[in-house]
Coordinates of all heavy atoms in Angstrom, one line a residue:
M1 N 85.5 77.2 91.9 CA 86.6 77.3 92.9 C 87.8 76.6 92.3 O 87.8 75.5 91.8 CB 86.2 76.7 94.2 CG 85.3 77.4 95.1 SD 86.2 78.7 95.9 CE 84.9 79.5 96.8
N2 N 89.0 77.3 92.5 CA 90.2 76.7 92.1 C 90.7 75.7 93.1 O 90.8 76.0 94.3 CB 91.3 77.8 92.0 CG 92.7 77.3 91.7 OD1 92.9 76.2 91.4 ND2 93.6 78.2 91.8
K3 N 90.9 74.5 92.7 CA 91.2 73.4 93.6 C 92.7 73.2 93.7 O 93.2 72.5 94.5 CB 90.6 72.0 93.2 CG 89.1 72.1 93.1 CD 88.5 72.2 94.5 CE 87.0 72.1 94.4 NZ 86.3 72.7 95.4
R4 N 93.5 73.9 92.9 CA 94.9 73.8 92.9 C 95.7 75.1 93.2 O 95.5 76.0 92.4 CB 95.4 73.2 91.5 CG 96.8 73.0 91.4 CD 97.1 71.8 90.5 NE 98.4 71.7 90.1 CZ 99.5 71.4 90.8 NH1 99.3 71.2 92.1 NH2 100.7 71.3 90.3
M5 N 96.4 75.1 94.2 CA 97.2 76.2 94.6 C 98.6 76.0 93.9 O 99.2 75.0 94.0 CB 97.4 76.3 96.1 CG 96.1 76.6 96.9 SD 95.8 78.4 97.0 CE 97.1 78.9 98.0
T6 N 99.1 77.1 93.3 CA 100.5 77.0 92.7 C 101.5 77.4 93.7 O 101.2 78.0 94.8 CB 100.6 78.0 91.5 OG1 100.5 79.3 92.0 CG2 99.5 77.7 90.5
E7 N 102.8 77.1 93.4 CA 103.9 77.5 94.3 C 104.0 79.0 94.4 O 104.3 79.5 95.5 CB 105.2 76.9 93.8 CG 105.3 75.4 93.9 CD 105.1 74.9 95.3 OE1 105.7 75.5 96.2 OE2 104.5 73.8 95.5
A8 N 103.7 79.7 93.3 CA 103.7 81.1 93.4 C 102.7 81.7 94.4 O 102.9 82.7 95.1 CB 103.5 81.7 92.0
M9 N 101.5 81.0 94.4 CA 100.5 81.5 95.3 C 100.9 81.3 96.8 O 100.8 82.2 97.6 CB 99.2 80.7 95.1 CG 98.5 81.0 93.8 SD 97.1 79.8 93.6 CE 96.1 80.7 92.4
Y10 N 101.5 80.1 97.0 CA 102.0 79.8 98.4 C 103.0 80.8 98.8 O 103.1 81.3 99.9 CB 102.5 78.4 98.5 CG 101.4 77.3 98.6 CD1 101.3 76.4 97.6 CD2 100.6 77.2 99.7 CE1 100.4 75.4 97.7 CE2 99.6 76.3 99.7 CZ 99.5 75.3 98.7 OH 98.5 74.3 98.8
A11 N 103.9 81.1 97.9 CA 105.1 82.0 98.1 C 104.6 83.4 98.4 O 105.2 84.2 99.2 CB 106.0 82.0 97.0
S12 N 103.5 83.8 97.8 CA 103.0 85.2 98.0 C 102.2 85.4 99.3 O 102.0 86.5 99.7 CB 102.1 85.6 96.8 OG 100.9 84.9 96.8
I13 N 101.8 84.3 100.0 CA 100.9 84.4 101.1 C 101.6 85.2 102.3 O 100.9 86.2 102.8 CB 100.5 83.0 101.6 CG1 99.5 82.5 100.6 CG2 99.8 83.1 103.0 CD1 99.1 81.0 100.8
P14 N 102.8 85.0 102.7 CA 103.4 85.8 103.8 C 103.4 87.3 103.5 O 103.1 88.1 104.4 CB 104.8 85.2 103.9 CG 104.7 83.8 103.4 CD 103.7 83.9 102.3
E15 N 103.7 87.7 102.3 CA 103.7 89.1 102.0 C 102.3 89.7 102.0 O 102.1 90.8 102.5 CB 104.2 89.3 100.6 CG 104.3 90.7 100.1 CD 104.8 90.9 98.7 OE1 105.9 90.4 98.4 OE2 104.2 91.7 98.0
L16 N 101.3 88.9 101.5 CA 99.9 89.4 101.6 C 99.5 89.5 103.0 O 98.8 90.5 103.4 CB 99.0 88.4 100.9 CG 99.2 88.3 99.3 CD1 98.4 87.1 98.8 CD2 98.8 89.6 98.7
V17 N 99.8 88.6 103.9 CA 99.4 88.7 105.3 C 100.1 89.9 105.9 O 99.4 90.6 106.6 CB 99.8 87.4 106.0 CG1 99.7 87.5 107.5 CG2 99.0 86.2 105.5
E18 N 101.4 90.1 105.7 CA 102.1 91.2 106.3 C 101.5 92.5 105.8 O 101.6 93.6 106.5 CB 103.6 91.1 106.0 CG 104.3 90.1 106.8 CD 104.2 90.3 108.4 OE1 104.3 91.5 108.8 OE2 104.0 89.3 109.1
A19 N 101.0 92.5 104.6 CA 100.4 93.8 104.0 C 99.0 94.0 104.5 O 98.4 95.0 104.2 CB 100.4 93.7 102.5
G20 N 98.5 93.1 105.4 CA 97.2 93.4 106.0 C 96.0 92.8 105.3 O 94.9 93.1 105.6
I21 N 96.3 92.0 104.3 CA 95.2 91.3 103.5 C 94.6 90.2 104.4 O 95.4 89.4 104.9 CB 95.7 90.7 102.2 CG1 96.5 91.8 101.4 CG2 94.6 90.2 101.4 CD1 95.7 93.0 101.0
T22 N 93.3 90.2 104.5 CA 92.7 89.2 105.4 C 92.8 87.8 104.8 O 92.9 87.7 103.6 CB 91.2 89.5 105.6 OG1 90.5 89.4 104.4 CG2 91.0 90.9 106.2
T23 N 92.6 86.8 105.6 CA 92.6 85.4 105.2 C 91.5 85.2 104.2 O 91.6 84.5 103.2 CB 92.5 84.5 106.4 OG1 93.6 84.7 107.3 CG2 92.6 83.0 106.0
A24 N 90.3 85.8 104.5 CA 89.2 85.6 103.6 C 89.4 86.2 102.2 O 89.1 85.6 101.2 CB 87.9 86.3 104.2
E25 N 90.1 87.4 102.2 CA 90.4 88.0 100.9 C 91.5 87.2 100.2 O 91.4 87.0 98.9 CB 90.9 89.4 101.1 CG 91.4 90.1 99.9 CD 90.4 90.3 98.8 OE1 89.2 90.1 99.0 OE2 90.8 90.5 97.6
I26 N 92.5 86.7 100.9 CA 93.5 85.8 100.2 C 92.8 84.6 99.6 O 93.1 84.3 98.4 CB 94.6 85.4 101.2 CG1 95.4 86.7 101.6 CG2 95.6 84.4 100.5 CD1 96.3 86.4 102.8
A27 N 92.0 84.0 100.4 CA 91.3 82.8 99.9 C 90.4 83.1 98.6 O 90.4 82.4 97.6 CB 90.4 82.2 101.0
R28 N 89.7 84.3 98.7 CA 88.9 84.7 97.5 C 89.8 84.9 96.3 O 89.5 84.4 95.2 CB 88.2 86.0 97.9 CG 87.1 86.4 96.8 CD 86.6 87.8 96.9 NE 87.7 88.8 96.7 CZ 88.2 89.1 95.6 NH1 87.9 88.5 94.5 NH2 89.2 90.0 95.5
R29 N 90.9 85.6 96.5 CA 91.8 85.8 95.3 C 92.3 84.5 94.7 O 92.5 84.5 93.5 CB 93.1 86.6 95.8 CG 92.7 88.1 96.1 CD 94.0 88.8 96.5 NE 93.7 90.1 97.0 CZ 94.6 91.1 97.2 NH1 95.9 90.8 97.0 NH2 94.3 92.3 97.6
F30 N 92.6 83.5 95.5 CA 93.1 82.2 95.0 C 92.0 81.2 94.7 O 92.4 80.1 94.2 CB 94.0 81.6 96.1 CG 95.3 82.4 96.3 CD1 96.0 82.3 97.5 CD2 95.8 83.4 95.4 CE1 97.2 83.0 97.7 CE2 96.9 84.1 95.6 CZ 97.6 83.9 96.8
G31 N 90.8 81.6 94.8 CA 89.7 80.7 94.4 C 89.5 79.5 95.3 O 89.1 78.4 94.8
V32 N 89.8 79.6 96.6 CA 89.6 78.5 97.5 C 88.8 79.1 98.7 O 88.6 80.3 98.9 CB 90.9 77.9 98.0 CG1 91.7 77.3 96.9 CG2 91.7 79.0 98.8
T33 N 88.2 78.2 99.5 CA 87.5 78.6 100.7 C 88.6 79.0 101.8 O 89.7 78.6 101.7 CB 86.6 77.5 101.3 OG1 87.5 76.4 101.7 CG2 85.6 77.0 100.2
E34 N 88.1 79.8 102.7 CA 89.0 80.2 103.8 C 89.5 79.0 104.6 O 90.6 78.9 105.0 CB 88.3 81.3 104.7 CG 89.2 81.9 105.7 CD 88.5 83.0 106.5 OE1 87.4 83.3 106.2 OE2 89.2 83.4 107.5
K35 N 88.6 78.1 104.8 CA 88.9 76.9 105.6 C 90.0 76.1 104.8 O 90.9 75.6 105.4 CB 87.7 76.0 105.8 CG 87.9 74.8 106.6 CD 86.6 74.1 106.9 CE 86.9 72.8 107.7 NZ 85.7 72.1 108.0
S36 N 89.8 75.9 103.5 CA 90.8 75.2 102.7 C 92.2 75.9 102.8 O 93.2 75.2 102.9 CB 90.4 75.1 101.3 OG 89.2 74.3 101.1
L37 N 92.1 77.2 102.7 CA 93.4 78.0 102.7 C 94.1 77.7 104.1 O 95.3 77.5 104.1 CB 93.2 79.5 102.5 CG 94.4 80.3 102.6 CD1 95.3 80.0 101.4 CD2 94.0 81.8 102.6
R38 N 93.3 77.8 105.1 CA 93.9 77.5 106.5 C 94.6 76.1 106.5 O 95.7 76.0 107.1 CB 92.9 77.7 107.5 CG 92.5 79.2 107.7 CD 91.5 79.3 108.9 NE 91.0 80.7 109.0 CZ 91.7 81.7 109.5 NH1 93.0 81.5 109.9 NH2 91.2 82.9 109.6
V39 N 93.9 75.1 106.0 CA 94.4 73.7 106.1 C 95.6 73.6 105.2 O 96.6 73.1 105.6 CB 93.3 72.7 105.6 CG1 93.9 71.4 105.4 CG2 92.2 72.7 106.7
L40 N 95.6 74.1 104.0 CA 96.7 74.1 103.1 C 97.9 74.8 103.6 O 99.0 74.2 103.5 CB 96.3 74.7 101.7 CG 95.3 73.9 100.9 CD1 94.8 74.7 99.7 CD2 95.8 72.6 100.4
C41 N 97.7 75.9 104.2 CA 98.8 76.7 104.8 C 99.4 76.0 106.0 O 100.6 75.9 106.2 CB 98.4 78.1 105.1 SG 98.2 79.1 103.7
S42 N 98.5 75.4 106.8 CA 99.0 74.6 108.0 C 99.9 73.5 107.6 O 100.9 73.2 108.2 CB 97.7 74.1 108.7 OG 98.1 73.3 109.8
H43 N 99.5 72.8 106.5 CA 100.3 71.6 106.0 C 101.7 72.1 105.6 O 102.6 71.3 105.7 CB 99.6 70.9 104.9 CG 98.4 70.1 105.3 ND1 97.9 69.0 104.6 CD2 97.6 70.2 106.4 CE1 96.9 68.5 105.3 NE2 96.6 69.3 106.3
R44 N 101.7 73.3 105.1 CA 103.0 73.8 104.6 C 103.7 74.7 105.6 O 104.7 75.3 105.3 CB 102.8 74.6 103.3 CG 102.5 73.7 102.1 CD 102.4 74.5 100.9 NE 102.3 73.6 99.7 CZ 103.1 73.7 98.7 NH1 104.1 74.5 98.7 NH2 102.9 72.8 97.7
R45 N 103.1 74.8 106.8 CA 103.7 75.6 107.9 C 103.8 77.1 107.4 O 104.8 77.8 107.7 CB 105.0 75.1 108.4 CG 104.9 73.7 108.9 CD 106.2 73.3 109.6 NE 106.2 71.9 109.9 CZ 105.7 71.3 111.0 NH1 105.1 72.1 111.8 NH2 105.8 70.0 111.2
I46 N 102.8 77.6 106.7 CA 102.7 79.0 106.4 C 101.8 79.7 107.3 O 100.6 79.3 107.4 CB 102.2 79.2 104.9 CG1 103.2 78.5 103.9 CG2 102.0 80.6 104.6 CD1 102.6 78.4 102.5
S47 N 102.3 80.7 108.0 CA 101.5 81.4 109.0 C 100.5 82.3 108.3 O 100.9 83.1 107.4 CB 102.3 82.1 110.0 OG 101.5 82.8 110.9
L48 N 99.3 82.4 108.8 CA 98.3 83.4 108.3 C 98.1 84.5 109.3 O 97.2 85.2 109.3 CB 97.0 82.7 108.0 CG 97.0 81.7 106.8 CD1 95.7 80.9 106.8 CD2 97.3 82.5 105.5
R49 N 99.0 84.6 110.3 CA 99.0 85.6 111.3 C 100.1 86.6 111.0 O 101.2 86.3 110.7 CB 99.2 85.0 112.7 CG 98.1 84.1 113.1 CD 98.3 83.6 114.5 NE 97.3 82.6 114.8 CZ 97.4 81.7 115.8 NH1 98.4 81.7 116.5 NH2 96.4 80.9 116.0
I50 N 99.8 87.9 111.3 CA 100.8 88.9 111.2 C 101.7 88.8 112.4 O 101.2 88.8 113.6 CB 100.1 90.3 111.2 CG1 99.3 90.5 109.9 CG2 101.2 91.4 111.2 CD1 98.5 91.8 109.8
G51 N 102.9 88.6 112.2 CA 103.8 88.4 113.3 C 104.7 89.6 113.6 O 105.3 90.2 112.8
G52 N 104.6 90.0 114.9 CA 105.5 91.0 115.4 C 105.3 92.4 114.7 O 106.3 93.1 114.5
T53 N 104.2 92.7 114.3 CA 104.0 94.0 113.6 C 103.6 95.1 114.6 O 103.0 94.8 115.6 CB 102.9 93.9 112.5 OG1 101.6 93.5 113.2 CG2 103.2 92.8 111.5
R54 N 104.0 96.3 114.2 CA 103.6 97.4 115.0 C 103.0 98.4 114.0 O 103.3 98.5 112.8 CB 104.9 98.0 115.6 CG 105.4 97.2 116.7 CD 106.6 97.8 117.4 NE 107.7 97.7 116.5 CZ 108.9 98.2 116.8 NH1 109.1 99.0 117.8 NH2 109.9 98.0 116.0
H55 N 102.2 99.3 114.5 CA 101.5 100.3 113.7 C 102.3 101.6 114.0 O 102.7 101.9 115.1 CB 100.1 100.4 114.1 CG 99.3 99.2 113.8 ND1 98.7 99.0 112.5 CD2 98.9 98.2 114.5 CE1 98.1 97.9 112.5 NE2 98.2 97.3 113.7
T56 N 102.4 102.4 112.9 CA 103.0 103.7 113.0 C 102.3 104.6 112.1 O 101.6 104.2 111.2 CB 104.5 103.6 112.7 OG1 105.1 104.8 113.0 CG2 104.8 103.3 111.2
T57 N 102.5 105.9 112.3 CA 101.9 106.9 111.4 C 103.1 107.6 110.6 O 104.1 107.9 111.2 CB 101.2 108.0 112.3 OG1 100.2 107.3 113.0 CG2 100.6 109.1 111.4
V58 N 102.8 107.7 109.4 CA 103.8 108.3 108.5 C 103.1 109.5 107.8 O 102.1 109.4 107.2 CB 104.3 107.3 107.4 CG1 105.3 108.0 106.5 CG2 105.0 106.1 108.1
R59 N 103.8 110.7 107.8 CA 103.3 111.9 107.2 C 103.8 111.9 105.8 O 105.0 111.8 105.6 CB 103.6 113.1 108.0 CG 103.0 113.1 109.3 CD 103.3 114.4 110.0 NE 103.0 114.4 111.4 CZ 101.7 114.4 112.0 NH1 100.7 114.6 111.2 NH2 101.6 114.4 113.3
L60 N 103.0 112.2 104.8 CA 103.4 112.3 103.4 C 102.9 113.6 102.8 O 101.8 114.1 103.2 CB 102.8 111.2 102.6 CG 103.2 109.7 103.0 CD1 102.5 108.7 102.1 CD2 104.7 109.6 102.8
S61 N 103.6 114.2 101.9 CA 103.2 115.4 101.2 C 102.0 115.0 100.3 O 101.8 113.8 100.0 CB 104.3 115.9 100.3 OG 104.5 115.0 99.3
D62 N 101.2 116.0 99.9 CA 100.1 115.7 99.0 C 100.5 115.0 97.7 O 99.9 114.1 97.2 CB 99.3 117.0 98.7 CG 98.5 117.5 99.9 OD1 98.2 116.7 100.8 OD2 98.2 118.7 99.9
H63 N 101.7 115.5 97.2 CA 102.2 114.9 96.0 C 102.6 113.4 96.2 O 102.2 112.6 95.3 CB 103.4 115.7 95.6 CG 104.1 115.2 94.3 ND1 103.5 115.3 93.1 CD2 105.2 114.5 94.2 CE1 104.3 114.8 92.2 NE2 105.4 114.2 92.8
A64 N 103.3 113.1 97.3 CA 103.7 111.7 97.5 C 102.4 110.9 97.7 O 102.4 109.7 97.2 CB 104.6 111.7 98.7
L65 N 101.4 111.3 98.5 CA 100.2 110.6 98.7 C 99.5 110.3 97.4 O 98.9 109.3 97.2 CB 99.4 111.2 99.8 CG 98.1 110.4 100.2 CD1 98.5 109.1 100.8 CD2 97.4 111.2 101.3
S66 N 99.4 111.3 96.6 CA 98.7 111.2 95.3 C 99.4 110.1 94.4 O 98.7 109.3 93.9 CB 98.8 112.5 94.5 OG 98.2 112.4 93.3
G67 N 100.7 110.1 94.4 CA 101.4 109.1 93.6 C 101.2 107.7 94.2 O 101.0 106.7 93.5
L68 N 101.3 107.6 95.6 CA 101.0 106.3 96.2 C 99.6 105.8 96.0 O 99.4 104.6 95.7 CB 101.3 106.5 97.7 CG 101.2 105.2 98.6 CD1 102.3 104.3 98.2 CD2 101.3 105.6 100.1
S69 N 98.7 106.7 96.0 CA 97.3 106.4 95.8 C 97.1 105.8 94.4 O 96.4 104.8 94.2 CB 96.4 107.6 96.0 OG 95.0 107.3 95.8
T70 N 97.7 106.5 93.4 CA 97.6 106.0 92.0 C 98.2 104.6 91.9 O 97.6 103.7 91.3 CB 98.3 107.0 91.1 OG1 97.6 108.3 91.2 CG2 98.2 106.5 89.6
A71 N 99.4 104.4 92.4 CA 100.1 103.1 92.3 C 99.3 102.0 93.1 O 99.2 100.9 92.6 CB 101.5 103.2 92.9
A72 N 98.7 102.4 94.2 CA 97.9 101.4 95.0 C 96.7 101.0 94.2 O 96.3 99.8 94.1 CB 97.5 102.0 96.3
R73 N 96.0 102.0 93.6 CA 94.8 101.7 92.8 C 95.1 100.7 91.7 O 94.3 99.8 91.4 CB 94.2 103.0 92.4 CG 92.7 103.0 92.0 CD 92.1 104.3 91.7 NE 92.9 105.4 91.2 CZ 93.4 106.4 91.9 NH1 93.2 106.5 93.2 NH2 94.2 107.3 91.3
T74 N 96.2 100.9 91.0 CA 96.5 100.1 89.8 C 96.8 98.6 90.3 O 96.7 97.7 89.5 CB 97.6 100.6 89.0 OG1 98.8 100.6 89.8 CG2 97.4 102.0 88.5
R75 N 97.2 98.5 91.6 CA 97.5 97.2 92.1 C 96.3 96.6 92.9 O 96.5 95.5 93.4 CB 98.7 97.3 93.0 CG 100.0 97.5 92.2 CD 101.1 98.0 93.1 NE 102.4 98.1 92.3 CZ 102.6 99.1 91.5 NH1 101.8 100.1 91.3 NH2 103.8 99.1 90.8
G76 N 95.2 97.3 93.0 CA 94.1 96.8 93.7 C 94.2 96.7 95.2 O 93.6 95.9 95.8
V77 N 95.0 97.6 95.8 CA 95.2 97.7 97.2 C 95.0 99.1 97.6 O 94.9 100.0 96.8 CB 96.5 97.2 97.7 CG1 96.7 95.7 97.3 CG2 97.7 98.0 97.1
N78 N 94.9 99.4 98.9 CA 94.8 100.8 99.4 C 96.2 101.3 99.7 O 97.2 100.6 99.6 CB 93.9 100.9 100.6 CG 94.4 100.2 101.8 OD1 95.6 100.2 102.1 ND2 93.5 99.6 102.6
E79 N 96.3 102.6 100.0 CA 97.6 103.2 100.2 C 98.4 102.6 101.3 O 99.6 102.4 101.2 CB 97.4 104.7 100.4 CG 96.9 105.5 99.3 CD 95.4 105.7 99.3 OE1 94.7 104.9 100.1 OE2 94.9 106.5 98.6
A80 N 97.7 102.3 102.4 CA 98.4 101.7 103.5 C 99.0 100.3 103.2 O 100.1 100.0 103.6 CB 97.5 101.6 104.7
Q81 N 98.2 99.5 102.5 CA 98.7 98.2 102.1 C 99.9 98.3 101.2 O 100.9 97.6 101.4 CB 97.6 97.4 101.4 CG 96.5 97.0 102.4 CD 95.2 96.5 101.6 OE1 94.9 97.0 100.5 NE2 94.5 95.6 102.3
L82 N 99.9 99.2 100.2 CA 101.0 99.4 99.3 C 102.2 99.9 100.1 O 103.3 99.4 99.9 CB 100.7 100.3 98.1 CG 101.8 100.5 97.1 CD1 102.3 99.2 96.5 CD2 101.4 101.5 96.0
A83 N 102.0 100.9 100.9 CA 103.2 101.4 101.7 C 103.8 100.3 102.5 O 105.0 100.2 102.6 CB 102.7 102.6 102.6
S84 N 103.0 99.5 103.1 CA 103.4 98.4 104.0 C 104.2 97.4 103.1 O 105.3 97.0 103.5 CB 102.3 97.7 104.6 OG 102.7 96.6 105.4
R85 N 103.7 97.1 102.0 CA 104.4 96.1 101.1 C 105.8 96.7 100.6 O 106.8 96.0 100.6 CB 103.6 95.8 99.8 CG 102.4 94.9 100.2 CD 101.4 94.7 99.0 NE 102.1 94.2 97.8 CZ 101.4 94.1 96.7 NH1 100.2 94.4 96.5 NH2 102.1 93.6 95.6
L86 N 105.8 98.0 100.3 CA 107.0 98.6 99.9 C 108.1 98.6 101.0 O 109.2 98.2 100.8 CB 106.8 100.0 99.4 CG 106.1 100.2 98.1 CD1 105.6 101.7 98.0 CD2 107.0 99.8 97.0
L87 N 107.7 99.0 102.2 CA 108.6 99.0 103.3 C 109.1 97.6 103.7 O 110.2 97.4 104.0 CB 107.9 99.7 104.5 CG 107.7 101.2 104.3 CD1 106.9 101.8 105.4 CD2 109.0 101.9 104.2
I88 N 108.2 96.6 103.6 CA 108.6 95.2 103.9 C 109.6 94.8 102.9 O 110.6 94.2 103.3 CB 107.4 94.3 103.9 CG1 106.5 94.6 105.2 CG2 107.8 92.8 103.8 CD1 105.1 93.9 105.1
A89 N 109.4 95.1 101.6 CA 110.4 94.7 100.6 C 111.7 95.4 100.7 O 112.8 94.8 100.6 CB 109.8 95.0 99.2
I90 N 111.7 96.7 101.1 CA 112.9 97.4 101.3 C 113.7 96.8 102.5 O 114.9 96.6 102.4 CB 112.6 98.9 101.5 CG1 112.1 99.6 100.2 CG2 113.8 99.6 102.1 CD1 111.5 100.9 100.4
A91 N 113.0 96.5 103.6 CA 113.7 95.9 104.7 C 114.2 94.5 104.5 O 115.3 94.2 104.8 CB 112.7 95.9 105.9
A92 N 113.4 93.7 103.8 CA 113.7 92.3 103.5 C 115.0 92.2 102.7 O 115.8 91.3 102.9 CB 112.6 91.6 102.9
D93 N 115.1 93.1 101.7 CA 116.2 93.1 100.7 C 117.3 94.1 101.0 O 118.2 94.3 100.2 CB 115.7 93.2 99.3 CG 114.8 92.0 98.9 OD1 115.0 90.9 99.5 OD2 114.0 92.2 98.0
N94 N 117.2 94.8 102.2 CA 118.2 95.8 102.6 C 118.4 96.8 101.4 O 119.5 97.1 101.0 CB 119.5 95.2 103.0 CG 120.4 96.1 103.8 OD1 119.9 97.1 104.3 ND2 121.6 95.9 103.8
L95 N 117.3 97.4 100.9 CA 117.4 98.3 99.8 C 117.4 99.8 100.2 O 117.1 100.6 99.4 CB 116.2 98.0 98.9 CG 116.1 96.7 98.2 CD1 114.8 96.5 97.5 CD2 117.3 96.5 97.3
Y96 N 117.7 100.1 101.4 CA 117.6 101.4 101.9 C 118.5 102.4 101.1 O 118.0 103.4 100.6 CB 118.0 101.5 103.4 CG 117.2 100.6 104.3 CD1 117.8 99.5 104.8 CD2 115.9 101.0 104.7 CE1 117.0 98.6 105.6 CE2 115.2 100.1 105.5 CZ 115.7 99.0 105.9 OH 115.0 98.1 106.7
N97 N 119.7 102.0 100.9 CA 120.7 102.9 100.1 C 120.2 103.0 98.7 O 120.3 104.1 98.1 CB 122.1 102.4 100.2 CG 122.7 102.5 101.6 OD1 122.2 103.3 102.4 ND2 123.7 101.8 101.9
A98 N 119.8 101.9 98.1 CA 119.3 102.0 96.7 C 118.1 102.9 96.5 O 118.0 103.7 95.6 CB 119.0 100.5 96.2
V99 N 117.2 102.8 97.4 CA 116.0 103.6 97.3 C 116.3 105.0 97.6 O 115.7 105.9 96.9 CB 114.9 103.0 98.3 CG1 113.7 104.0 98.4 CG2 114.4 101.7 97.9
L100 N 117.2 105.3 98.6 CA 117.5 106.7 98.9 C 118.6 107.2 98.1 O 119.1 108.3 98.3 CB 117.9 106.7 100.4 CG 116.7 106.4 101.3 CD1 117.2 106.3 102.8 CD2 115.6 107.4 101.2
D101 N 119.1 106.4 97.1 CA 120.2 106.8 96.2 C 121.4 107.2 97.0 O 122.1 108.2 96.7 CB 119.7 107.9 95.2 CG 120.7 108.0 94.0 OD1 121.3 107.0 93.7 OD2 120.7 109.1 93.4
E102 N 121.8 106.4 98.0 CA 123.0 106.7 98.8 C 123.9 105.6 98.6 O 123.6 104.5 98.2 CB 122.6 106.7 100.3 CG 121.7 107.9 100.7 CD 121.2 107.8 102.1 OE1 121.5 106.8 102.8 OE2 120.6 108.8 102.5
R103 N 125.2 105.8 98.7 CA 126.2 104.8 98.5 C 126.7 104.3 99.8 O 126.9 104.4 100.8 CB 127.4 105.4 97.7 CG 126.9 106.0 96.4 CD 127.5 105.2 95.2 NE 127.3 105.8 94.0 CZ 126.1 105.8 93.4 NH1 125.1 105.4 93.9 NH2 126.0 106.4 92.2

C-alpha cells in the first residue's frame, strides 16, 4: 500500500468523483485504503461526494460512439465516464467555442 499521497493525486480526486469513479476505486488506484482516503480527504476538505449532478441521456452516432469507446478504453474508463470528464473539462474551462470551432 502506498502511504504517501502526492499533490497531483489530491488534485485529481474531484474530477474522478465527478466522473463517477467510486471512493473504493479511487483508493485502489492510489494504493490506500478507502478509510484512509476518506480521512486524508477530510483533512484537506476534499469532498468525495458528487455535488449537484444530474443525469441526462445523449444520443451519439455509431461513429462517434466507436471513437469514444476507443478513447475510453485506452484511458481505462467506460464511455460514460469519459464523456462526463470531457463535458466537465469543457464547462470548467469554457471551451465551448474552441471545441465547436466557433469564434
